[in-house]
Amino acid sequence: MNAAFDFTGKKVFVFGGTSGINLGIAEAFAERGAVMGVASRDPEKVRATVARLAECGRVAGQTAAPQGYSLDVRDPQAVADAISTFAASRGSIDVLVSGAAGNFPAAAQALSPNGFKSVVDIDLLGTFHVMRGAHPYLTSPGASVINISAPQAAIAMAMQVHVCAAKAGVDMVTRTLALEWGPQGVRVNGVVPGPIDGTEGMKRLAPDEKSREAVVRGVPMRRMGTPRDVANVCLFLASEAAAYVTGAIIPADGGWSVAGARLDS
Ligand code: NAP
Ligand code: COA
């Protein structure tokens, strides 16, 4: 293993880490020896993830048991309590990943105020709650935060006004706290997944074969991504190899966000 990507003993907490892309991120850190914490709403998903990460850790020689918390990131007190419980036994947090999110396609005029608010509350306020709760424990040299963004943060997308607004806000939280926390030695970066195969997000946005094919045609690399494609960028951002990288928002999208990159129509 490349020494820069050895996370043995590093404390890594992934919010929303119990399925899809974020689970892939949690697995990648656990496979490299990290001491893991994860949180999401569904206790059964949390339980299954803890078991899965324990297996990854066992293979990597990590004996510290992963910790799982069932909570809603819209509840700042629940978020703060989980983080302080994790840090009480683990000491500090080296890598914080904020990835909990909600999405569904809806035209603006058909979206209720509460529908818009729900997504903004989960994605944007949730990211703020997670970062604010973790800040006292981001004390190790090299500590860093990775916020999971989306192409909608920068590219207007029909049926996605709630997600565009929420993720644009997430990117500005990333940049602003990179500025505020840089002097404390805490790096804050974002990762923008492209269309990632088999995930809840893609099932909701491209539910049939025709729409999936249209998505793939728009990706210069001509394939959907995998959770591991996103996790690899997170490993880099959390590693010493990225020691001078902060405030960056890096796509892992096969070039999807590059306007005009299509080779044919
Ligand atoms: P997913 O499997 O639904 O993952 C979302 C995770 O967040 C789950 O673990 C979910 O678990 C948790 N979660 C949702 N609402 C929550 C809440 N209120 N409080 C706490 N946890 C909550 O979706 P995904 O498609 O892999 O997406 C993962 C991330 O990648 C999201 O940030 C998304 O915006 C981003 N992204 C995805 C794609 C894609 O192609 N899928 C593309 C661009 C960006 P519970 O249900 O147990 O709460
Ligand atoms: N179209 C329009 N409005 C919708 C909707 C849809 N498909 N799905 C939910 N809403 C609205 C609801 O009608 C409700 O508004 P109302 O009170 O005015 O009726 C509001 O959104 C909240 O819905 P609710 O089901 O109570 O929210 P929740 O907090 O239980 O769940 C969601 C949050 C809606 C984001 C849900 O889809 C979710 O949990 N998503 C997580 C998984 C996910 O989205 N993964 C992909 C990540 S990219």
Side-chain angles (χ1 to χ4, degrees):
M1 189 191 304
N2 184 323
F5 301 123
D6 178 3
F7 288 91
T8 303
K10 298 288 184 192
K11 279 86 73 179
V12 178
F13 201 133
V14 184
F15 279 84
T18 63
S19 60
I21 295 169
N22 303 321
L23 174 59
I25 294 168
E27 287 172 345
F29 280 106
E31 285 168 8
R32 286 160 181 79
V35 176
M36 298 301 303
V38 287
S40 81
R41 294 166 301 177
D42 182 343
E44 179 48 34
K45 283 171 73 175
V46 172
R47 192 204 57 73
T49 299
V50 165
R52 170 78 194 124
L53 297 179
E55 178 56 19
C56 295
R58 192 189 61 72
V59 173
Q62 177 53 254
T63 53
Q67 295 186 6
Y69 304 88
S70 174
L71 56 79
D72 194 315
V73 293
R74 289 170 284 193
D75 179 346
Q77 192 57 53
V79 168
D81 289 348
I83 291 170
S84 63
T85 305
F86 179 77
S89 64
R90 303 305 184 206
S92 61
I93 295 174
D94 295 287
V95 183
L96 173 73
V97 179
S98 173
N103 193 356
F104 50 82
Q109 68 276 11
L111 186 59
S112 71
N114 192 43
F116 187 94
K117 180 177 182 297
S118 297
V119 170
V120 171
D121 278 353
I122 300 168
D123 296 25
L124 177 54
L125 274 81
T127 294
F128 178 69
H129 300 327
V130 162
M131 292 184 74
R132 188 172 179 278
H135 180 254
Y137 307 104
L138 292 165
T139 51
S140 309
S144 80
V145 180
I146 299 168
N147 292 329
I148 306 303
S149 183
Q152 291 91 321
I155 300 168
M157 212 177 273
M159 314 287 280
Q160 290 281 274
V161 65
H162 43 324
V163 176
C164 292
K167 291 290 193 181
V170 168
D171 282 4
M172 284 313 292
V173 169
T174 298
R175 293 190 180 98
T176 307
L177 294 195
L179 194 64
E180 286 192 20
W181 294 359
Q184 302 160 27
V186 180
R187 297 181 299 105
V188 184
N189 293 294
V191 175
V192 183
I196 305 301
D197 208 6
T199 57
E200 187 60 30
M202 280 318 292
K203 284 179 199 156
R204 291 178 181 219
L205 297 185
D208 53 51
E209 200 44 40
K210 194 160 168 260
S211 50
R212 282 170 48 81
E213 283 169 9
V215 168
V216 171
R217 274 199 305 278
V219 179
M221 297 301 293
R222 288 296 191 273
R223 69 169 174 89
M224 287 207 196
T226 64
R228 194 48 62 115
D229 288 323
V230 181
N232 286 337
V233 177
C234 294
L235 293 174
F236 163 69
L237 284 173
S239 75
E240 286 173 21
Y244 201 50
V245 180
T246 194
I249 296 168
I250 301 181
D253 68 352
W256 198 36
S257 55
V258 181
R262 292 184 186 199
L263 300 176
D264 54 37
S265 57

